[in-house]
């Protein structure tokens, strides 16, 4: 994917927890510290066995449903700037580019990417904030609201056909004309470090909550019990968020998992892990439209490391819709379908639920990343109209 | 509406700010301190003049659109227990009943109300928490989710016809059989004091925000500038919330306003104020279904006092829908249509916008009460499908 990036970062250098701490220092002035929410109603639902009917037609159909204890901590990146975690990676990639290439040069040539989703808006916001010209290649069939959203932050939108070959050709045209530097949506060291700051914040905020709880319990030392989250689950599309978060927690006891839609082979990462080789292309129209891409090369290197990612689980379209309904109606927070695949795993993936039950009779504190909230009332209506 | 309530509270005793402070002390262990949110995107939209087209067919059609500066502070009672502010009034009414009549007696006879909405769920939760039997009379045509929600908290649901005559007859039957004490949904001293605690929390939280802002600005004293919110707007249905909040602010400089749907005469309070007499019955099918009731007698006594409520404004169904879209898509918070009438007034009611422009060139800090969030994905879909 890298075309002419003049980056001195060696290819496939793998991020470390300390590179994520550095990224956080760099991007803090530009991003929101999003809330970490709890919801007892959802804990109760997750901590109740599924019905036997729900397991019909699955490998678990003749076994008693698992009865795990799960306490959720929802990291609300839908409240991040531009409505998704992507703002973190985009700001970090640009700030590092300025460090390496120099402000004047970056402002002279600009940056380019192709995306029809949240990365487009994130790069548009980050570049206008830092006074860097941005060219965003979008398929001409993109929804008008996404085009308008991207333009509203100041980027120049350039239209292309909708296949990746057509889009990449237009990116090369832009680069030939302007010299603009490519900022990939996920398969990039600096983007991964930026997204990993989601993990760092969850870790800090969970500690704050624990210290608060202990404080209420009149703990004399005033210190938290030091235990981190038992597990964190993020969605996996290209893998920027998951590989960043897994990197951050790689020197801690928190286990990181990934979640994917299974529809039309959208679970490319899970299938790749089974086969021992990265799946290079995916063609799915899952409702989790942020997760339709294959995992990137550098992302795969992190995610396929079992010391970093403990497992990847997939869920059906109906399970994604059911989880989304619970988030909208019970937590009363607006998320996009891609954001709830991790919650859907906890609620409906019997393999994951058995794991929790087996590993911890006292249950797990599970961090769930709500990756974004960019949807419309029409899209919600359409999703639930049948 | 009072039938056989053995309350020693004299009829039409008017609540005071101190009675709301007392209510807060009583209910604090049972309710959530809901967040006070800001949203720069919404501030920007409210602080931009409406288009001239938007004023066509209104008394303002040949005048330049107002250009007020508005900064919002959203009080999210959709995150209150049972998803609406009604939990405050219900807990307060029951705790006061226990104080007056005695725990044993209240537990022996129980409480009764008729409601198909948030008050039913609130009274159900409060009575099960306090181990008091509750009988909720609901029209048999109520939506199954509302019936289930009410039952899930432990109350006994008793069905009736849907006219108020039919419902009140069933309430009297229940009282004859059990001796249960009526807890009205809004026209009640203790209920009003409970709802008024929304105002108290907004006042405290706004002060905290101001002190935080000053702190960041390195103010040496560390004190807030002492200025409260310029205005607070709440929805008006029966008027429990508005009269409570207006009572709380009656000894402060903050002006309190009310907001109503104009559809099919749903703006009974505004019309009553114009005519100088309370409108006693309303028949509207506005989408703001929590606001279909006329203002209660005691509520009217507070709201019609110009020293307490500075004005009541109404909005159309389309304006309510437009405001609801902005809250869902931009603030990414799930609210019910009744919750956004105050925001709709700030965005679309030209009379109100002119008032803000005229009164304060530097603009107003406006508190908006999002009264509740009990809706479904189907209801959202239906609302925006035409």
């Amino acid at each position: 994917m890298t075309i002419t990036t003049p980056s001195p970062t060696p290819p496939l250098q793998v991020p470390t927890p300390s590179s994520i701490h550095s990224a956080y220092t760099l991007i803090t002035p530009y991003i929101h510290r999003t809330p970490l929410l709890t919801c007892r109603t959802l804990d109760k639902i997750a901590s109740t066995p599924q019905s036997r009917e729900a397991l019909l037609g699955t490998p678990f159909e003749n076994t008693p449903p698992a009865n795990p204890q799960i306490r959720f901590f929802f990291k609300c990146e839908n409240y991040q700037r531009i409505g998704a975690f992507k703002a973190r990676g985009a700001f970090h990639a640009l700030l590092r580019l300025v460090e390496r290439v120099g402000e004047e040069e970056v402002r002279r040539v600009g940056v380019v990417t192709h995306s029809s989703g949240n990365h487009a808006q994130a790069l548009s916001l980050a570049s206008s904030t830092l006074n860097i010209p941005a060219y965003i290649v979008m398929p001409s069939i993109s929804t008008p609201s996404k085009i308008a959203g991207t333009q509203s932050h100041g980027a120049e939108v350039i239209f292309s056909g909708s296949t990746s070959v057509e889009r990449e050709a237009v990116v090369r045209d832009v680069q030939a004309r302007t010299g603009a530097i490519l900022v990939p949506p996920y398969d990039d060291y600096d983007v991964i470090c930026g997204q990993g700051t989601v993990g760092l914040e969850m870790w800090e905020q969970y500690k704050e909550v624990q210290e608060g709880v202990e404080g209420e319990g009149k703990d004399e030392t005033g210190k938290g019990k030091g235990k981190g989250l038992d597990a964190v689950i993020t969605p996996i599309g290209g893998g920027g968020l998951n590989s960043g978060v897994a990197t951050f927690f790689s020197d801690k006891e928190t286990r990181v998992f990934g979640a994917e839609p299974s529809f039309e082979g959208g679970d490319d990462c899970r299938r790749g892990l089974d086969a021992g080789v990265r799946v290079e292309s995916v063609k799915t129209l899952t409702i989790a439209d942020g997760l339709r891409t294959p995992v990137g090369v550098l992302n795969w290197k992190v995610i396929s490391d079992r010391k970093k990612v403990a497992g990847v689980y997939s869920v059906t379209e109906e399970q994604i819709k059911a989880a989304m309904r619970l988030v909208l109606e019970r937590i009363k927070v607006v998320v996009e379908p891609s954001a709830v695949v991790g919650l859907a795993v906890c609620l409906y993936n019997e393999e994951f639920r058995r794991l929790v039950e087996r590993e911890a009779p006292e249950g797990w504190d599970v961090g769930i990343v709500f990756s974004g909230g960019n949807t419309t009332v029409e899209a919600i209506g359409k999703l639930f109209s049948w």
Side-chain angles (χ1 to χ4, degrees), chain A:
Chain A
M1 198 144 193
T2 307
I3 300 179
T4 59
T5 313
S7 159
T9 306
L12 291 192
Q13 184 189 335
V14 173
T16 62
S18 90
S19 58
I20 289 164
H21 280 278
S22 307
Y24 196 55
T25 306
L26 215 51
I27 67 175
T28 297
Y30 300 99
I31 59 154
H32 291 328
R33 190 183 204 239
T34 56
L36 187 71
L37 303 183
T38 57
C39 178
R40 274 182 261 173
T41 306
L42 267 285
D43 293 352
K44 203 166 149 187
I45 295 172
S47 304
T48 302
Q50 297 193 82
S51 69
R52 284 179 174 269
E53 292 69 45
L55 304 182
L56 290 178
T58 78
F60 304 97
E61 81 168 70
N62 286 316
T63 57
N67 190 14
Q69 300 302 306
I70 296 178
R71 294 167 298 272
F72 290 119
F73 294 81
F74 298 108
K75 179 64 172 168
C76 292
E77 286 292 296
N78 54 323
Y79 295 134
Q80 188 48 268
R81 296 189 72 186
I82 70 102
F85 72 93
K86 296 273 186 180
R88 297 172 185 265
F91 270 107
H92 187 241
L94 291 196
L95 290 162
R96 290 270 291 151
L97 207 53
V98 166
E99 279 184 355
R100 287 204 306 268
V101 183
E103 196 169 65
E104 203 179 324
E105 175 65 7
V106 180
R107 286 194 180 152
R108 191 180 65 78
V109 298
V111 292
V112 60
T113 200
H114 55 88
S115 162
S116 56
N118 291 328
H119 177 63
Q121 294 198 49
L123 192 66
S124 183
L125 171 70
S127 29
S128 71
T129 306
L130 302 172
N131 286 312
I132 295 166
Y135 310 95
I136 316 282
V137 177
M138 298 180 87
S140 49
I141 56 161
S142 303
T143 47
S145 65
K146 290 194 171 174
I147 296 169
T150 304
Q151 288 169 329
S152 76
H153 297 297
E156 182 179 330
V157 172
I158 295 149
F159 295 105
S160 74
S162 51
T163 70
S164 59
V165 173
E166 290 168 307
R167 289 188 293 170
E168 282 166 24
V170 176
V171 168
R172 277 189 300 271
D173 287 351
V174 172
Q175 291 189 298
R177 174 163 65 83
T178 61
I181 301 164
L182 180 71
V183 178
Y186 49 83
D187 197 351
D188 180 89
Y189 181 93
D190 291 322
V191 169
I192 292 173
C193 292
Q195 321 300 31
T197 62
V198 171
L200 192 158
E201 275 184 18
M202 290 175 84
W203 177 71
E204 285 183 350
Q205 291 171 310
Y206 179 80
K207 269 202 312 187
E208 289 164 12
V209 172
Q210 296 303 106
E211 284 164 13
V213 171
E214 300 255 329
E216 282 173 20
K218 308 273 186 286
D219 178 292
E220 284 189 357
T221 67
K223 286 185 201 156
K225 53 182 165 173
K227 176 184 149 302
L229 284 160
D230 296 293
V232 167
I233 312 188
T234 87
I236 295 183
L241 176 63
N242 190 258
S243 59
V245 169
T247 297
F248 174 76
F249 284 108
S250 62
D251 62 359
K252 301 185 172 55
E253 292 194 5
T254 303
R255 291 187 238 199
V256 174
F257 297 89
E260 288 183 308
S262 59
F263 187 63
E264 296 180 341
D267 52 347
D268 60 286
C269 186
R270 196 193 57 73
R271 292 184 292 119
L273 291 173
D274 281 356
V277 59
R278 185 175 77 95
V279 173
E280 293 183 16
S281 78
V282 177
K283 197 172 169 123
T284 170
L285 287 175
T286 172
I287 55 173
D289 56 1
L291 310 180
R292 291 177 182 171
T293 45
V295 171
V297 173
L298 180 53
N299 314 84
W300 172 257
K301 194 159 175 190
V302 176
I303 296 172
S304 61
D305 179 346
R306 280 300 295 258
K307 294 193 295 296
K308 291 180 179 161
V309 176
V312 175
Y313 296 85
S314 66
V315 285
T316 66
E317 302 292 280
E318 284 308 312
Q319 291 169 340
I320 294 170
K321 279 172 61 174
M324 187 159 162
R325 173 193 292 276
L326 288 172
V327 176
L328 287 160
E329 296 184 355
R330 304 298 184 92
I331 315 185
K332 301 186 198 301
V333 154
V334 176
V335 289
E336 55 190 73
S338 304
V340 302
V341 289
L343 174 61
V345 164
C346 291
L347 295 172
Y348 309 120
N349 186 300
E350 193 64 8
E351 195 186 338
F352 181 81
R353 293 172 59 80
R354 286 179 167 237
L355 173 70
V356 180
E357 186 184 37
R358 193 170 63 234
E359 295 277 322
E362 76 286 7
W364 270 5
D365 287 359
V366 179
I368 299 281
V369 181
F370 286 156
S371 49
N374 289 330
T375 185
T376 62
V377 289
E378 283 80 8
I380 293 170
K382 202 175 151 199
L383 210 51
F384 292 98
S385 66
W386 55 82

